[in-house]
Amino acid sequence: MASNSFDDRMSLRQRLALRGIDGVTLLVLPAVLFLLLVFIYPFIYGLILSFTPVEGGAFANYRKFFSDPFLYDTILTTLWLAVPVTIISIAIALPVAFRVRLMTHQRLLTTILVLPVTLGTVLVAEGLLNYLGPQGWFSRTLMFLGAIDRPLKLTNNYWGVFASLIITGFPFTFLLTLSYVSGIDPALEQAAATHGAKSWQRFRYVMLPLLIPGLAIAFCLSFVQAFAVFPSAILLGAPAGPTRVISIAAYQAAFEQYDYSMASAVAMIMAVVQLLIVVAILALRNMFYRGSTAGGKG
């Protein structure tokens, strides 16, 4: 009875605090509401909409997608762009990050390397049209040097989109990679060098195991960004041919055919493909390394 009397004398704020609900916890509510309104609700709405086709049963949209090569081939087309772009971006970002972390003017060089982010995908695409087009500077320079006899076709095809994704995706991948590389304590590498390990051995046995968790996350985020390619595929590619990516199929279903249910189904398929790749990369990461993801700095 004494305990009940004590509980009655406590204020509502004190009773909530005993259950772990205090002022700090309440600060999370705006973020939770934002996630619900901007991410969770649109996803659930799109998922339900994808199962309410204009004609046919609940799975009619998905049957239509996977029975039409013009639609399901967009998955392979998008993967053929996103996966190589992600791998090359990380392959370039990793040595650059190792070099930048040792430089005195690191901030200046980092700012220069991430500058393409501020330009935007459309502006980069327009610049590449002038640079890589048949009458662009690249072909003209090669013809002037006698390396080629006629202009190269590097736009309105796969390579134009590929170049655009590398330029716009590299800064993001580089910043992620630099953060992981900078988080590794230099003393670990110095200790390995003291014991006679060469540069490749230090990278293979000291740095790489610590970097694998971070590189896996960088790969996943960079892949998701590249998989959602749209403006580059329109401006620099062939939207009805070799660069008809899955986002174009979703756009055409929604804004050309006005079939929002089919567009939602295509968006759900995009999400599933990305999720499968992300899960596969994270599972592969666990095969190579298990342990702390921190580099031991400090």
Side-chain angles (χ1 to χ4, degrees):
M1 292 181 63
S3 176
N4 292 336
S5 177
F6 178 74
D7 290 341
D8 293 338
R9 288 197 302 270
M10 286 195 304
S11 64
L12 176 62
R13 181 178 180 181
Q14 291 173 322
R15 288 197 294 268
L16 290 175
L18 289 175
R19 291 169 173 79
I21 304 175
D22 53 14
V24 177
T25 306
L26 294 177
L27 292 175
V28 180
L29 288 179
V32 172
L33 291 175
F34 179 81
L35 288 174
L36 289 173
L37 294 175
V38 178
F39 294 101
I40 306 301
Y41 170 74
F43 174 79
I44 295 176
Y45 177 78
L47 181 63
I48 295 173
L49 186 61
S50 69
F51 289 106
T52 55
V54 178
E55 297 179 354
F59 295 93
N61 288 328
Y62 295 95
R63 284 196 297 267
K64 178 181 178 181
F65 183 91
F66 288 105
S67 62
D68 187 353
F70 191 62
L71 290 174
Y72 68 70
D73 280 350
T74 57
I75 297 177
L76 294 177
T77 300
T78 312
L79 288 174
W80 183 239
L81 274 168
V83 173
V85 163
T86 306
I87 293 174
I88 291 175
S89 295
I90 290 180
I92 298 173
L94 190 57
V96 174
F98 270 102
R99 181 58 182 166
V100 168
R101 74 166 182 157
L102 301 175
M103 298 185 68
T104 305
H105 302 288
Q106 182 183 128
R107 292 183 179 179
L108 176 62
L109 184 57
T110 301
T111 302
I112 295 173
L113 289 174
V114 302
L115 188 61
V117 171
T118 64
L119 301 178
T121 307
V122 175
L123 188 58
V124 170
E126 290 181 355
L128 286 177
L129 284 173
N130 293 325
Y131 182 72
L132 298 178
Q135 300 301 319
W137 299 348
F138 185 71
S139 289
R140 287 185 179 182
T141 302
L142 292 179
M143 292 176 67
F144 176 78
L145 296 174
I148 57 175
D149 298 326
R150 54 185 178 179
L152 295 174
K153 185 174 177 55
L154 297 174
T155 56
N156 302 115
N157 55 18
Y158 175 89
W159 297 110
V161 183
F162 185 87
S164 176
L165 289 177
I166 290 290
I167 293 173
T168 56
F170 171 78
F172 179 72
T173 307
F174 167 73
L175 287 176
L176 288 173
T177 306
L178 180 62
S179 66
Y180 294 122
V181 170
S182 300
I184 297 178
D185 192 344
L188 297 175
E189 189 176 6
Q190 293 170 3
T194 302
H195 286 81
K198 297 181 180 180
S199 57
W200 168 249
Q201 293 174 322
R202 295 196 299 270
F203 174 77
R204 170 65 180 85
Y205 296 105
V206 178
M207 305 296 288
L208 187 59
L210 294 172
L211 282 173
I212 282 178
L215 292 180
I217 298 300
F219 183 97
C220 293
L221 295 177
S222 300
F223 168 79
V224 169
Q225 184 183 39
F227 194 84
V229 55
F230 182 77
S232 299
I234 296 290
L235 297 172
L236 288 165
T243 62
R244 188 174 186 270
V245 293
I246 193 170
S247 58
I248 293 178
Y251 172 84
Q252 290 176 337
F255 300 107
E256 293 182 8
Q257 303 168 8
Y258 299 102
D259 189 348
Y260 297 107
S261 178
M262 183 63 192
S264 297
V266 176
M268 292 300 111
I269 292 170
M270 286 182 65
V272 170
V273 172
Q274 293 177 83
L275 180 62
L276 290 175
I277 297 296
V278 169
V279 170
I281 294 300
L282 295 180
L284 191 63
R285 176 195 66 176
N286 292 333
M287 291 176 59
F288 283 95
Y289 178 79
R290 296 190 180 194
S292 174
T293 58
K297 205 169 189 177

